[in-house]
């Protein structure tokens, strides 16, 4: 990418043709000495403990944690953790999560993949501000001129999740206007797992062999703190990153569940890995050494109709792949490495599995997983086009949808509740396109049908340079104000977001 950027003056298209990059973003390197890969054990985030039936409370606060061995990093985490505690949700059981903010910045918490009423969806101007702290959006922020767009909760807000949706691997993260990227980078993200009877009844790996795997990249300063090219490190006044990073920030340290290149001891058994790309901008193409394969059983929104076997998986920011890996063929002592073939040097490594014990395993992957009809284009009542593109703005680099920077409160589309539409996404760079509330199935990529990795019900889709991706979206759940945006968080903060209203 460095070379592509050097050519930027000659025109983006030319640079792209000469150097077809597989990821959009710039590498930010660390100043701290990096640890040897595969020395730190894989942490498993603890489950959040309910404070009452269907009630949780999470506190956003700063904490010092050891990420790079021998040094400490201040994280901004839910309960001071990165990743935050895992929310265990049950399909059909309404759950309220009180989020208390004790940070120096406002926050908005979004349940990514949740079918959530709009007032609990983490709208970017619906902010929680620490008790006793004032906050007014400064000029320069999107929507600052219109006070009616903003709401402020002092201390805490109750987010209400009806959880009327199927089992799936969701995640929650910050969604504050113009500052989502640096706030997620500092740690404001965690898993939310929805379980249901259908998924529970399958003979898939369970318990300690059902593992959430949040992959993200970061960079570190010499003193161990997170390095990030914010224009305003206080994150209070001026949004945005240094120009060189406008395409997205990619760190040189790969973290899994918050640990650098960790290692997990496994038995000779099947494991269910819930892969989540929680990076700001980095795309990964994951592969296992030793010929091991991923048997995909679910995507963003739960079980596939039937398993799909992949030797590599491309996962973009915000996306999830629910996979089973079978270690039963490997003798104790064998090491298998999960690599990212789009990375270079250390960013090629992700984590390692070390087979350490022999066990009997009666889990399996059934040939039929769920009832998920293939999408029917003729079910759509209309087609809408959303073009994701970099355009020159008066304010400098701008990421836009249909030529427009984000305008909170002004919907780009008003689909009707209970209907389906074809949404067509077109692009210049890599844009992982994400919809709040509504789930979709991929219909086509240009003249071709969906790829193997497009299977299932999704909320985030990999849209590659100069691609045309059609998805069939169903608008179910709630009327109200929702968002679609690019999940490259630097693009999102730099206005590649739009409202849609379900009417
Ligand atoms: Cu995961 Cu609107 O985001
Ligand atoms: Cu979302
Ligand atoms: Cu983008």
């Amino acid at each position: 990418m460095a070379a592509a950027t050097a050519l930027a003056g000659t025109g983006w298209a030319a640079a792209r043709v000469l150097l077809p990059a597989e990821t959009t973003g710039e590498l930010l390197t660390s100043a701290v000495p990096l640890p040897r890969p595969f020395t730190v054990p894989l942490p498993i985030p603890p489950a959040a403990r309910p404070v009452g039936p269907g009630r949780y409370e999470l506190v956003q606060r700063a904490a010092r944690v050891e990420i790079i061995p021998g040094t400490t990093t201040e994280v901004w985490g839910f309960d001071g953790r990165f990743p935050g505690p895992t929310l265990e949700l049950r399909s059909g059981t309404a759950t309220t999560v009180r989020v208390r903010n004790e940070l120096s910045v406002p926050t908005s918490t979004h349940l990514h993949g949740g079918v959530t009423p709009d007032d609990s969806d983490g709208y970017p101007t619906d902010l929680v501000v620490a008790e006793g702290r004032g906050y007014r959006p400064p000029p320069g922020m999107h929507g600052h001129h219109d006070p009616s767009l903003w709401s402020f909760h002092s201390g805490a807000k109750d987010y209400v999740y009806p959880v009327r949706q199927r089992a799936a691997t969701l995640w929650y993260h910050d969604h504050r206007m113009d500052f989502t990227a640096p706030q997620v980078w500092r740690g404001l993200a965690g898993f939310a797992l929805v379980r249901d009877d259908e998924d529970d009844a399958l003979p898939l790996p369970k318990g300690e062999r059902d593992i959430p795997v949040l992959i993200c990249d970061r960079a570190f300063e010499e003193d161990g703190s997170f390095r990030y090219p914010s224009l305003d490190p206080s994150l209070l006044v001026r949004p945005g990153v240094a120009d060189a990073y406008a395409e997205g920030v990619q760190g040189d340290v790969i973290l899994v569940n918050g640990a650098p290149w960790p290692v997990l001891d496994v038995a000779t058994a099947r494991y269910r890995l819930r892969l989540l790309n929680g990076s700001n901008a980095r795309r990964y193409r994951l592969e296992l050494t030793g010929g091991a394969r991923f048997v995909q059983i679910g995507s963003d929104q739960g079980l596939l109709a039937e398993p799909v076997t992949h030797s590599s998986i491309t996962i973009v920011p915000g996306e999830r792949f629910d996979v089973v890996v079978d270690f039963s063929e490997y003798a104790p002592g064998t090491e298998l490495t999960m690599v990212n073939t789009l990375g270079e040097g250390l960013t090629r490594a992700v984590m390692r599995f070390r087979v350490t014990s022999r066990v009997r395993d009666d889990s399996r992957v059934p040939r039929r997983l769920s009832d998920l009809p293939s999408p029917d284009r003729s079910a759509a009542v209309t087609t809408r086009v959303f073009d994701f593109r970099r355009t020159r703005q008066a304010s400098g680099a701008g990421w836009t949808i249909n030529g427009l920077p984000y305008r909170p409160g002004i919907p780009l589309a008003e689909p009707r509740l209970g209907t389906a539409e074809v949404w067509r996404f077109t692009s210049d760079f890599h844009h992982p396109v994400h919809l709040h509330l509504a789930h979709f199935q991929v219909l086509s990529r240009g003249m071709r049908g969906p790829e193997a990795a497009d299977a299932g019900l999704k909320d985030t889709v990999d849209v590659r340079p100069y691609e045309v991706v059609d998805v069939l979206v169903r608008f179910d759940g709630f009327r109200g104000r929702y968002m679609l945006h690019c999940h490259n968080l630097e693009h999102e903060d730099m206005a590649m977001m739009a409202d849609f209203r379900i009417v």
Side-chain angles (χ1 to χ4, degrees), residues 110 112-113 434 436:
H110 169 57
H112 179 129
H434 169 55
H436 286 217

Side-chain angles (χ1 to χ4, degrees), residues 207-224:
E208 60 178 17
R209 296 192 194 136
D210 175 353
I211 299 181
V213 177
L214 187 160
I215 304 170
C216 66
D217 55 350
R218 294 289 185 270
F220 295 84
E221 299 287 356
E222 209 168 347
D223 64 359

Side-chain angles (χ1 to χ4, degrees), residues 388-421:
F388 290 74
R389 194 164 299 277
R390 184 188 178 109
T391 51
R392 291 276 155 221
Q393 303 286 309
S395 51
W399 296 101
T400 57
I401 303 177
N402 291 351
L404 300 164
Y406 184 44
R407 298 167 305 165
I410 304 176
L412 273 197
E414 293 190 305
R416 298 188 80 82
L417 184 70
T419 65
E421 300 187 355

